[in-house]
Amino acid sequence: MPRRLFSVFLFCFFGLQSVFAQPQKPNSAEIYAKIQKLNFLGSVLYIAAHPDDENTRLISWFANEKHARTGYLSLTRGDGGQNLIGPELRELLGVIRTQELIEARKIDGGEQFFSRANDFGYSKNPDETLKIWNKDEVLSDVVYVIRKFRPDVIVNRFDHRTPGSTHGHHTSSAMLSVEAFDLSNNPKSYPNQLKLTQTWQPKRLYMNTSWWFYGSHEKFDKADKTNLAQLSTGVYYESLGKSNQEIAALSRSSHKSQGFGNTGVRGEDSEYLEFLKGDRPNDKTDLFEGIDTSWNRVKGGKVIGEILAKVEKEFDFRNPANSIPGLVSAYERIQTLEDEYWKNLKSEEIKSVIAACAGLYLEAVASDAEATPGSTVKVKIEAINRSQVPMQLNGITTFPSSMTTLQVTDLKYNENRTFDLQLELPSDMKYTEPYWLSEKGSVGMYKVDDPKLIGNPDITRQAKVTFNIGFGHTTIPFDRTIIYKYNDDVKGEVYEPFDIVPAVTTSILDKVAIFGDGKPKKISVKVTSGKNDVNGNLALELPKDWKASPASAPFSLSRKGESTVATFEITPSENAGEIHVKSIVTVNGQKLDKERTAISYPHISKQQVIKDAEAKFIRLDIKTGKEKIAYVMGAGDEVPNSLRQMGYDVVILTPAEINLERLKDFDVVMTGIRAYNVVKELEFKQAALLDFVKSGKTMIVQYNTLDDLTSKEMSPYPLKLSRDRVTEEDAEVRFLDPKNPILTSPNKITSADFTGWTQERGLYYPGEWDKAFTPVISSNDKGESAKNGAILVAQYGNGHYIYTGLSFFRELPEGVSGAFRLMANMISIGNSKQL
């Protein structure tokens, strides 16, 4: 049977699986592909900076066509990007993009890794990047992943020799990879890692180049390719009816929060690799030349290879179970290997094959989706052998308690064995949360105290079950993470993670509360129970010059998942300033101060983030008008909530509602971020919006990108977007038109209003504009020319049109005082003296 016919199935089974994923039920062709994978002992590590930087065509080709163990090391989790599917930003967006990468690897067949680097936003050069990151720590992470993964070949996405030509994170990822290539085999480099792993020297290092690096297809066609390896990656897999590019497109389309849906193509295709370092192969197209990818590379592996070669040759597609004796024999010999890397890796692979050949279905399902530390959970166990091969269930071990239940029973052909057990959770069991968020990190780095977790892509779940299955004299442990599942009338069987949660969580509903006039304000706090029958008291932790009435509020919740809302009247300090407020509950003398944030999208695993239950209260010197605002959502942001905090009446309008009759009820129309990129209907609503402005009203358009603009006439006068941005959040801001109402009324804007901005000043500023526009402010990153397009205002008819690239979508939810004052002035421009 042709190797290519079955290799494609690997992408379904050797990619990283989400903890809640349904059990695999492979067919014979897929099982055969698993057996082929057992006999290839080579690996490739792809390295870049962000989710969506990876070349899924190349990853898929290595994993599915070459059978190589293929990994992707993304230095960051993409926390600094934008979100097209919801309002989550920063660390919550990083959680989403982490899961999207995991889903992508499940499709293309790779495995996923990360460093501790925090994506702090766009960086224009690697010097800035490596200054904000802790270079030594990120480099140590790259070395550690190389030592753990042991790649024969490393492929960089970016060029380490061209700083300043692309995102600073991009160049930094390549620079660190080149440096780590040699350090990984030096025992003097990061010696503490050698308590957990060992040194490793990759064979060769490449850069995955393309026409993009040359500026155009024409330039690339003419370029000298002497040092380039050309790989034919346009493989068609007959058994699946998909090309390698189509599989890669499905993987790429997992990056939904970035809007990277991709259409697969067909036909011949090539990828180019530039050799950088190591042992240069004679055959440029054979990246594994000179590397023994057979079992002979492992001491004691020759006989294992012979056994598995025989299993592959004699595989019976009508009865895969005939392969089990040979596979069990190979498993026994793998356990005797001295090389722990190959022993652990191939043990897991061969166990998967054995279970598949036997139709062995093993599952542990919790009675509830979540539980609290110290509680007892009912778990339903199911085990069934759907082959004629004799086997026994020799016991079940539950974790984290490490208790073994001696449930010895024969697993006869197609007889379903089910029973319940009680899982006792330790009182000190950690909550389920992304491990990289459990401690407060810095702007550039996440803090991870446990070195064993570094590089890991996902949450480490402690609640699991090991099924000890006997095959004659050999007992093989099969691990299964405890999951939760239920039946949905529409979706059918739905799998979800089993989570450990606090007994009580709280959430201050307004994450940023503005006290603009010194008057008391009502603040609501939601209290949610993680278990039945919880009673306690809720209070807000405030400085002495702030007051809450009542001082505390009792609550009683009888059922798990039940919530109640308590309202406090907060009297602010007389002095302007901002404070961080924490909500705390006291239950049986124990203080609990955590908030639980759920992230649920259909394309990723359901996630929860546990963090301190905090909010920011701002006693702000701000004047606002009574304008009524219509907000047209774009890619997703929380600006409307911030506007309501300022006291404005805000209504979210759908594109269908945009017409002059409806708009006459409003004073201001504001479009959300990237609205003219993602809301296609705006092309047909622009005339009504501009007529609204002409009639004497105000329109404020927040930033858009150059790509896929729905309308080239989004402003009343010519306006051309650029890629100009000011990434230094503390960059000096100069006033170009000091008397402009945006800087004077109703709030006097000063340089102090640009203190404390986060991540950046702004992005995608217009680079050219009609003389009808007045630029208001100017700023630039160090060493660059002035960028004057941050705020442009023009009078149109009797009204005002404002375009701004300032990052209000970041600053307002973060409670940046000056951003609120500046926004109030833009909203009130219609009440100011005409320009």
Side-chain angles (χ1 to χ4, degrees):
M1 183 163 292
R3 176 177 60 85
R4 180 179 297 173
L5 184 63
F6 298 100
S7 61
V8 69
F9 291 108
L10 292 172
F11 79 84
C12 293
F13 298 99
F14 282 90
L16 195 64
Q17 299 298 310
S18 297
V19 294
F20 76 105
Q22 297 186 23
Q24 298 292 342
K25 303 168 187 176
N27 59 40
S28 293
E30 295 161 346
I31 295 171
Y32 184 72
K34 285 171 167 278
I35 294 172
Q36 289 181 306
K37 180 77 170 182
L38 283 171
N39 282 321
F40 190 89
L41 282 72
S43 56
V44 178
L45 182 64
Y46 200 90
I47 298 179
H50 309 107
D52 70 45
D53 282 345
E54 80 277 22
N55 184 340
T56 55
R57 296 186 184 194
L58 197 55
I59 289 175
S60 175
W61 185 79
F62 277 126
N64 301 316
E65 176 67 7
K66 303 302 289 185
H67 296 287
R69 186 186 183 202
T70 307
Y72 174 44
L73 170 57
S74 174
L75 295 194
T76 76
R77 296 176 183 268
D79 326 74
Q82 285 87 53
N83 184 0
L84 289 183
I85 61 174
E88 296 88 354
L89 293 174
R90 292 301 312 143
E91 71 272 9
L92 296 183
L93 176 58
V95 171
I96 292 173
R97 298 192 71 189
T98 291
Q99 293 301 315
E100 289 178 338
L101 269 184
I102 290 172
E103 294 301 317
R105 297 294 81 77
K106 287 163 61 176
I107 293 170
D108 60 36
E111 299 177 46
Q112 187 60 49
F113 304 96
F114 294 97
S115 82
R116 289 171 289 172
N118 190 340
D119 179 0
F120 56 83
Y122 192 86
S123 177
K124 293 181 177 178
N125 61 75
D127 290 339
E128 180 195 44
T129 296
L130 296 175
K131 181 180 178 181
I132 296 176
W133 289 349
N134 183 318
K135 179 192 172 183
D136 187 64
E137 288 187 358
V138 181
L139 178 59
S140 76
D141 291 355
V142 178
V143 169
Y144 188 45
V145 170
I146 291 173
R147 287 172 170 175
K148 288 201 304 180
F149 188 75
R150 291 169 63 167
D152 298 306
V153 177
I154 294 177
V155 180
N156 292 341
R157 167 77 280 190
F158 299 105
D159 193 341
H160 66 289
R161 300 158 297 193
T162 56
S165 63
T166 182
H167 198 319
H169 297 181
H170 293 168
T171 310
S172 296
S173 71
M175 293 169 63
L176 294 173
S177 174
V178 171
E179 195 170 346
F181 183 83
D182 294 321
L183 293 179
S184 60
N185 198 37
N186 185 346
K188 294 182 180 179
S189 298
Y190 310 108
N192 288 338
Q193 294 180 2
L194 301 182
K195 299 174 184 178
L196 301 173
T197 185
Q198 62 186 35
T199 59
W200 178 255
Q201 182 58 62
K203 191 75 169 178
R204 46 193 65 118
L205 174 68
Y206 292 89
M207 173 199 162
N208 181 199
T209 190
S210 69
W211 68 266
W212 185 84
F213 292 92
Y214 290 75
S216 68
H217 288 284
E218 292 74 19
K219 291 180 180 180
F220 184 59
D221 291 340
K222 296 176 182 178
D224 179 10
K225 299 183 178 62
T226 304
N227 197 37
L228 303 186
Q230 181 178 358
L231 307 177
S232 298
T233 56
V235 181
Y236 174 65
Y237 300 107
E238 297 90 344
S239 57
L240 191 63
K242 286 186 175 67
S243 66
N244 185 68
Q245 305 100 306
E246 288 171 318
I247 295 171
L250 292 172
S251 173
R252 185 74 170 168
S253 297
S254 296
H255 299 297
K256 299 187 187 305
S257 66
Q258 293 301 104
F260 281 156
N262 200 267
T263 299
V265 297
R266 292 142 293 280
E268 295 181 356
D269 197 13
S270 293
E271 290 291 337
Y272 292 88
L273 300 183
E274 178 185 355
F275 178 82
L276 297 179
K277 212 169 189 181
D279 179 15
R280 186 191 297 266
N282 293 320
D283 181 355
K284 292 193 297 184
T285 64
D286 185 2
L287 272 60
F288 291 98
E289 182 185 87
I291 303 171
D292 189 350
T293 58
S294 74
W295 275 98
N296 293 330
R297 79 180 296 176
V298 183
K299 181 181 178 181
K302 180 179 179 181
V303 66
I304 298 172
E306 292 171 349
I307 294 171
L308 291 176
K310 187 171 184 290
V311 168
E312 181 177 339
K313 181 179 180 180
E314 298 178 355
F315 182 74
D316 185 347
F317 287 85
R318 293 190 175 185
N319 187 12
N322 286 344
S323 297
I324 292 177
L327 291 167
V328 171
S329 176
Y331 172 83
E332 292 171 340
R333 292 181 180 274
I334 290 173
Q335 305 318 298
T336 67
L337 294 177
E338 297 176 11
D339 191 321
E340 290 295 319
Y341 171 82
W342 290 112
K343 176 182 175 180
N344 294 333
L345 178 65
K346 291 302 180 180
S347 289
E348 292 306 310
E349 287 186 13
I350 200 167
K351 285 196 293 184
S352 174
V353 177
I354 292 170
C357 287
L360 184 59
Y361 187 92
L362 306 171
E363 191 171 73
V365 181
S367 56
D368 292 293
E370 56 199 42
T372 57
S375 62
T376 300
V377 180
K378 179 181 177 182
V379 179
K380 180 181 179 180
I381 300 296
E382 179 178 359
I384 182 170
N385 167 26
R386 291 176 286 185
S387 75
Q388 298 287 354
V389 175
M391 62 186 75
Q392 303 80 38
L393 176 60
N394 290 336
I396 291 175
T397 305
T398 57
F399 296 92
S401 61
S402 298
M403 293 182 60
T404 299
T405 303
L406 294 178
Q407 195 79 13
V408 179
T409 182
D410 287 336
L411 295 178
K412 297 180 181 179
Y413 170 67
N414 215 30
E415 289 187 6
N416 201 1
R417 302 294 187 185
T418 62
F419 56 92
D420 296 331
L421 58 81
Q422 299 295 316
L423 176 66
E424 297 182 1
L425 303 177
S427 59
D428 61 350
M429 192 169 184
K430 294 182 178 180
Y431 304 137
T432 304
E433 61 178 333
Y435 70 86
W436 60 95
L437 298 179
S438 61
E439 299 288 338
K440 187 174 180 60
S442 65
V443 173
M445 296 294 296
Y446 283 120
K447 184 179 179 183
V448 180
D449 292 330
D450 186 350
K452 294 189 295 295
L453 294 176
I454 292 173
N456 288 1
D458 206 358
I459 295 168
T460 300
R461 296 184 181 272
Q462 300 171 285
K464 63 179 182 178
V465 169
T466 297
F467 294 79
N468 300 300
I469 306 296
F471 296 83
H473 298 294
T474 302
T475 297
I476 301 178
F478 293 87
D479 295 336
R480 297 292 184 267
T481 301
I482 294 175
I483 52 88
Y484 172 72
K485 70 176 183 179
Y486 63 93
N487 185 74
D488 181 270
D489 289 344
V490 176
K491 300 176 183 177
E493 190 175 48
V494 177
Y495 280 71
E496 289 185 354
F498 171 65
D499 289 332
I500 309 302
V501 302
V504 180
T505 55
T506 62
S507 176
I508 304 172
L509 298 185
D510 292 319
K511 298 307 178 194
V512 175
I514 304 296
F515 296 79
D517 53 12
K519 295 180 181 179
K521 189 170 188 174
K522 293 187 182 299
I523 297 294
S524 295
V525 182
K526 185 178 182 180
V527 184
T528 303
S529 175
K531 63 180 184 179
N532 294 333
D533 300 320
V534 178
N535 303 288
N537 281 284
L538 168 70
L540 291 176
E541 192 175 73
L542 294 166
K544 291 182 180 179
D545 55 347
W546 289 67
K547 304 297 179 184
S549 179
S552 65
F555 66 89
S556 179
L557 300 171
S558 60
R559 298 181 61 185
K560 176 193 292 189
E562 184 180 355
S563 296
T564 187
V565 175
T567 300
F568 298 86
E569 186 174 80
I570 306 299
T571 302
S573 167
E574 294 181 358
N575 302 315
E578 59 184 48
I579 62 170
H580 288 274
V581 183
K582 182 178 286 187
S583 57
I584 300 174
V585 294
T586 304
V587 178
N588 298 326
Q590 180 185 12
K591 293 186 180 298
L592 299 170
D593 60 358
K594 298 300 181 183
E595 177 177 8
R596 181 185 180 204
T597 301
I599 299 175
S600 182
Y601 290 99
H603 68 296
I604 60 173
S605 166
K606 183 180 178 182
Q607 301 293 300
Q608 71 171 21
V609 176
I610 306 293
K611 57 184 178 181
D612 290 343
E614 291 183 329
K616 182 185 284 189
F617 290 178
I618 304 174
R619 173 66 174 91
L620 181 61
D621 178 16
I622 186 173
K623 299 180 180 66
T624 60
K626 300 295 183 181
E627 290 86 1
K628 187 173 182 180
I629 301 172
Y631 199 93
V632 181
M633 293 299 296
D637 61 62
E638 295 187 347
V639 171
N641 292 334
S642 299
L643 297 176
R644 293 185 181 107
Q645 270 296 316
M646 296 167 71
Y648 293 112
D649 182 0
V650 182
V651 176
I652 305 294
L653 282 191
T654 65
E657 294 178 283
I658 298 175
N659 58 66
L660 282 176
E661 181 64 26
R662 182 72 175 95
L663 292 177
K664 71 179 184 180
D665 296 330
F666 300 96
D667 304 293
V668 178
V669 167
M670 190 179 304
T671 60
I673 59 172
R674 298 175 71 173
Y676 283 92
N677 297 122
V678 300
V679 183
K680 304 300 183 184
E681 295 93 329
L682 284 180
E683 177 183 2
F684 310 105
K685 300 295 182 176
Q686 193 62 19
L689 291 169
L690 294 181
D691 284 344
F692 168 81
V693 177
K694 203 173 192 178
S695 69
K697 305 298 182 67
T698 299
M699 183 175 183
I700 300 173
V701 177
Q702 297 182 79
Y703 98 93
N704 294 273
T705 68
L706 289 78
D707 304 319
D708 300 322
L709 282 170
T710 61
S711 175
K712 295 181 180 180
E713 299 177 354
M714 62 180 176
S715 91
Y717 307 108
L719 183 75
K720 186 175 181 180
L721 300 182
S722 73
R723 299 190 185 276
D724 288 348
R725 60 205 304 162
V726 180
T727 65
E728 296 169 9
E729 61 270 27
D730 57 354
E732 177 192 5
V733 175
R734 301 171 293 276
F735 297 163
L736 299 175
D737 186 17
K739 295 182 179 181
N740 193 291
I742 289 177
L743 298 177
T744 62
S745 178
N747 303 286
K748 177 65 175 177
I749 302 299
T750 71
S751 59
D753 288 298
F754 292 93
T755 299
W757 284 52
T758 181
Q759 186 163 318
E760 63 206 352
R761 288 292 188 206
L763 61 170
Y764 292 99
Y765 292 170
E768 300 176 19
W769 51 85
D770 189 86
K771 63 181 181 180
F773 284 105
T774 300
V776 178
I777 63 173
S778 175
S779 61
N780 54 270
D781 290 329
K782 292 181 179 66
E784 294 193 354
S785 60
K787 304 297 185 287
N788 298 338
I791 303 176
L792 300 175
V793 57
Q795 187 166 340
Y796 181 63
N798 295 319
H800 298 88
Y801 177 94
I802 300 173
Y803 188 95
T804 179
L806 292 177
S807 59
F808 286 107
F809 72 103
R810 294 195 191 280
E811 313 312 322
L812 296 180
E814 288 293 324
V816 177
S817 299
F820 282 99
R821 287 164 45 84
L822 186 59
M823 176 61 77
N825 284 11
M826 291 197 302
I827 291 171
S828 296
I829 193 170
N831 297 325
S832 304
K833 187 177 295 185
Q834 298 294 301
L835 293 175

